[in-house]
Amino acid sequence: MNTSIRGLTESVIGELQELGYAESAIKLYRRCYGDFIAFCEGLGRTEYTIGLGDRWLLECRGIDVSKPYNTSIHGRSKQYGYDRPINSMQMLSELTVHGYIKLERSTKRLGLDIPEGFRPSYLGFQLWCRRTGMTEFGTRSRLNRIKRLLVFLESKGIRDYASITGEELSKYMLTFAEYSKRTIATSLSCIRCFLRQSYLDGHSATDLSVLLPAVGAGREFKIPRTWDEGDLQKVLSSIDTSNPTGKRDYAIILMIAHYGLRSVDVKMLCLSSIDWKKKQITICQHKTGKILSLPLLSDVGNALADYLKNGRPKVDNPFTFLKSTSPYGDFSASVGSFGQMLARRTQAAGVILPKGTPKGSHALRHTLASAMLSKGATLQTIASTLGHTTSKSTAIYLHSDISRLSDCILDPEEFHDENI
């Protein structure tokens, strides 16, 4: 790989242009690289090294990459002056080590078209996923993994199955060098399935799936990091529920924290899913397709009733939670929206989570699981509550005990309203 500084910077700019980055963004990267090149020329250096990039960040931008940026201390507006220089050096490092910029660096790649040579097999695999009973969530997840492969192959000039070799697949596997064993195994399994199905459907003359190595995922993973209960209460207490957005966010966080629901299931929660008379919430889990019935807890019921009566926009939409600005759409197609909302609420509450503790909404599932386990909930009960297909899943994600939740059920007479 060419490691000349000027050559690498030109390659990065070319990649950004290919991805459709705005010219204003590219201009900022050019400025970073211009400053970096001047710095290197002053040192008499022409070849890029990761250490040289770190030195420029520290001496010219005052950025110590060994210390994370804390927006609660330094402010969010300055973060852009922190992220851009780091990203610019990271891209140079990725080109040097891997020979390309990581596919995940830009979500713009997901918007790229499927190469024409692979389109029929891609659409065929999509139909196969649905025909075999996979959920929409599972199908979309698999298709994204396949698209990642196809975009990589196209970047190497490969646009049909006849051009795919074991060597190119091996190069693709190098893109997973920094990923966990489980992520690698899951991606390999998906790609293997896609290549085998493409062969069976007649799109490929040979079964390319045999060229992929077998990697077992296993279940020996680290225990999930959880939130301190006091931090969660501090976030909830800091939310101003006198306004519609506060009412909505409070109800969302409360549901995820008390029921251990996946954020996607809260996004997809319909008004018809709440049965005030039976004191019950019934959902179809988006990931597994299994039905889950939960008792309506009093504090959750209070929060939902307050939002539905006094905060939810008066529009015709079947989903419970809606955006607070016109045209008041739902969150069904919004990726990461609840996690971002929780992060904003956490920062506003002044809560600084310990290093390594996840900040997204999924961490609240782990937090509830640990709390319920410590109170004596059995894995069998937890597994049936969450609709897990195996107890191994429960051993990792551990969730709530319905019989204990029933002790604090909402009185339906207090909040039942036919207009809700």
Side-chain angles (χ1 to χ4, degrees), residues 165-179:
T165 65
E167 181 182 359
E168 293 303 332
L169 291 176
S170 295
K171 289 179 180 179
Y172 176 69
M173 293 313 303
L174 289 176
T175 67
F176 290 95
E178 299 174 8
Y179 289 78

Side-chain angles (χ1 to χ4, degrees), residues 1 50 92-100:
M1 178 67 194
I50 295 176
L92 294 180
S93 298
E94 288 167 0
L95 275 177
T96 302
V97 176
H98 302 296
Y100 54 87

Side-chain angles (χ1 to χ4, degrees), residues 1-8 11 47 95-96:
M1 178 67 194
N2 179 17
T3 58
S4 73
I5 295 171
R6 287 188 177 276
L8 286 173
S11 296
E47 299 294 310
L95 275 177
T96 302

Side-chain angles (χ1 to χ4, degrees), residues 107 110 137 140-141 144 263-264 267-268 286 323 330-341 344 361:
T107 55
L110 294 180
F137 177 84
R140 186 168 63 250
S141 175
N144 280 340
S263 61
V264 66
K267 290 178 186 178
M268 304 297 289
H286 197 59
K323 297 177 182 179
D330 55 73
F331 293 93
S332 59
S334 302
V335 179
S337 53
F338 283 5
Q340 294 166 8
M341 177 271 288
R344 289 195 301 271
S361 57

Side-chain angles (χ1 to χ4, degrees), residues 81-119:
Y82 179 90
D83 288 343
R84 187 83 64 182
I86 287 183
N87 286 342
S88 64
M89 293 300 104
Q90 182 64 24
M91 290 181 184
L92 294 180
S93 298
E94 288 167 0
L95 275 177
T96 302
V97 176
H98 302 296
Y100 54 87
I101 296 175
K102 275 189 176 180
L103 298 175
E104 286 77 13
R105 176 156 296 283
S106 173
T107 55
K108 292 178 182 291
R109 287 194 186 271
L110 294 180
L112 297 178
D113 292 332
I114 298 295
E116 285 300 323
F118 298 113
R119 183 178 294 278

Side-chain angles (χ1 to χ4, degrees), residues 145-164:
R145 293 177 189 276
I146 299 306
K147 195 167 189 178
R148 184 184 191 276
L149 168 67
L150 300 182
V151 168
F152 170 84
L153 291 175
E154 186 181 41
S155 72
K156 299 299 180 181
I158 299 173
R159 295 178 174 81
D160 55 55
Y161 284 101
S163 303
I164 298 177

Side-chain angles (χ1 to χ4, degrees), residues 9-187:
T9 56
E10 289 172 2
S11 296
V12 169
I13 295 301
E15 279 277 304
L16 298 182
Q17 291 173 332
E18 182 182 338
L19 286 171
Y21 271 65
E23 187 56 40
S24 58
I26 293 177
K27 184 177 180 180
L28 292 175
Y29 278 106
R30 287 186 187 278
R31 185 181 302 167
C32 281
Y33 288 137
D35 291 347
F36 178 60
I37 290 172
F39 171 77
C40 294
E41 288 178 346
L43 297 175
R45 303 282 293 274
T46 59
E47 299 294 310
Y48 176 78
T49 65
I50 295 176
L52 186 60
D54 290 346
R55 181 177 174 183
W56 173 74
L57 289 171
L58 182 61
E59 295 183 14
C60 297
R61 295 302 176 98
I63 299 173
D64 186 346
V65 294
S66 66
K67 297 179 181 178
Y69 187 88
N70 192 325
T71 55
S72 64
I73 297 176
H74 304 293
R76 182 171 296 276
S77 62
K78 293 183 179 180
Q79 186 175 10
Y80 296 102
Y82 179 90
D83 288 343
R84 187 83 64 182
I86 287 183
N87 286 342
S88 64
M89 293 300 104
Q90 182 64 24
M91 290 181 184
L92 294 180
S93 298
E94 288 167 0
L95 275 177
T96 302
V97 176
H98 302 296
Y100 54 87
I101 296 175
K102 275 189 176 180
L103 298 175
E104 286 77 13
R105 176 156 296 283
S106 173
T107 55
K108 292 178 182 291
R109 287 194 186 271
L110 294 180
L112 297 178
D113 292 332
I114 298 295
E116 285 300 323
F118 298 113
R119 183 178 294 278
S121 57
Y122 179 85
L123 296 177
F125 185 69
Q126 183 179 44
L127 291 175
W128 179 83
C129 288
R130 290 170 176 164
R131 200 166 55 239
T132 53
M134 291 183 188
T135 64
E136 283 301 310
F137 177 84
T139 298
R140 186 168 63 250
S141 175
R142 285 166 175 79
L143 291 175
N144 280 340
R145 293 177 189 276
I146 299 306
K147 195 167 189 178
R148 184 184 191 276
L149 168 67
L150 300 182
V151 168
F152 170 84
L153 291 175
E154 186 181 41
S155 72
K156 299 299 180 181
I158 299 173
R159 295 178 174 81
D160 55 55
Y161 284 101
S163 303
I164 298 177
T165 65
E167 181 182 359
E168 293 303 332
L169 291 176
S170 295
K171 289 179 180 179
Y172 176 69
M173 293 313 303
L174 289 176
T175 67
F176 290 95
E178 299 174 8
Y179 289 78
S180 69
K181 184 179 179 182
R182 184 181 183 187
T183 297
I184 296 172
T186 301
S187 297

Side-chain angles (χ1 to χ4, degrees), residues 10 27 34 37 41 126 136 155 202 221 232 236 257 259 290 329 350 381 393 407 419:
E10 289 172 2
K27 184 177 180 180
I37 290 172
E41 288 178 346
Q126 183 179 44
E136 283 301 310
S155 72
F221 305 117
L232 177 57
L236 288 169
Y259 293 124
K290 293 185 177 295
T381 300
S393 296
D407 293 337
N419 295 320

